[in-house]
Amino acid sequence: MLKVGLTAGVLLASLTAAAMAQDKTVVVYTAHKASIVDALVPKFEKETGIKVDVVKAGSGDIIKRVKAESTSAKADVIWSIGGEQLEDNKDLLAVYKPKEDDAILTTYKVSPEWIPYTGILLVMAVNNKELKPADYPKTWAELGDPKWKGKISSARADTSGSSFQQLATVLIGHGDKGWDVYNKILANTNLSDSSGAVPRYVNDGEALVGLTLEDNALDYVKGGGNVAIVYPEDGSSTVADGVALVKGAPHADNGKVFIDWLLSKPVQEQLVSEIGRRSVRKDVTGSGLKPIGEIKLVDYDIKKVAQSRNDWVAKWKSALQNR
C-alpha cells in the first residue's frame, strides 16, 4: 500500500507541476514581422513570468488554422491581423473588454469580439537611389502606367491583411473605376509572400515601388536605407489591426494578461517610438510620424469592407489569373 501511495503521490505532484507550467503559458498566433515579435515577447515574459508560444503565419493562414481548431482551440490570442478579417470571423472570438478600454480611441473600436491594437497606415515605399523625387508615383492610379511593369512589389491580397487593405482602399477611393484602377496596378506587380518583405525588395533595388505598411517602410528610412515614403494623394487608409481572445482558449486568463499588456501605455509608446506604429490610445502621440491630418484618407468602413471581403478576394484571384 505504501508503494502504491507513494506512486500516487508522485503522480499527483507531477500532474500539479504540469498544470502549473501550463498556467504560465500563452499561445499566440501572429502575422507580425519577426522584429516586432522579438522586441516585445521577451519583455512580456520577463515582466509577467508567462511564457509565450508564438506561431507566426500570414493573416489568412491564421484564420484558416483557428477555424480548423475551432472545436478544440489551440491558440489563446490572435495578435496583429487586419481588423476586417477579425470582423469577418467574429464567431471564432471571445468577447473581452481590456482593463484600460477607456483609454482606447473610439474611432478605432468596431466590435466587442476584437480589440484595436495599433493604427496601421498604407504607404508606397520607393527606392530613392534609383528614383528622383520628381519621378516618385504620387497616386495609386499612376501605378497602373505600363512604365511600372515589373517594378512594383506587393503581398498577396488573399493572404496578407495589409495587402487586402490596399485593395479595399483603391476600390473605395476610386468608386466605380476602382477595379479598373486596381487591375492595372496588379498587372504591373510582382507578388511577395509578405508585406514585411516588400520594402526589403525596394531597398535592394529588386523593385522600385513597394506597397506596404508605414512601419515596415519606416524601418528602412530610420536605418538609412534606399527607401523613401510616399503617402498616396488619391487616398490612403488607416484602420486598426487587432488583437483578440480566441473562443475556448486553453489559457484564457493568460491571454487576457497578454492583451492588457499590449494595450498598456508603456508598450504602446514603444510601438510608436521604436517600431513606427500609430497608437490606439488617447494618451500616446505619434512622435516622428507624419501627422494624420496631413494625409488624405478614404472613408474605410471596416464593417462594410468585412462584408465585401470574400467577394473582393474572389475577384482578385480571378484578376490575377487573367492578368
Side-chain angles (χ1 to χ4, degrees), residues 124-131 136-137 147-148 150-153 201-203 205-210 226 228:
M124 298 177 192
V126 298
N127 185 299
N128 60 7
K129 183 178 180 181
E130 299 293 333
L131 296 174
Y136 294 171
K147 73 178 182 180
W148 297 110
K151 298 176 181 177
I152 301 170
S153 177
Y201 296 139
V202 175
N203 182 70
E206 296 179 49
L208 295 184
V209 181
N226 303 316

Side-chain angles (χ1 to χ4, degrees), residues 66-86:
V66 175
K67 280 183 178 179
E69 297 169 350
S70 59
T71 57
S72 180
K74 303 294 188 295
D76 300 303
V77 174
I78 297 174
W79 175 27
S80 188
I81 73 171
E84 74 284 336
Q85 285 179 289
L86 294 172

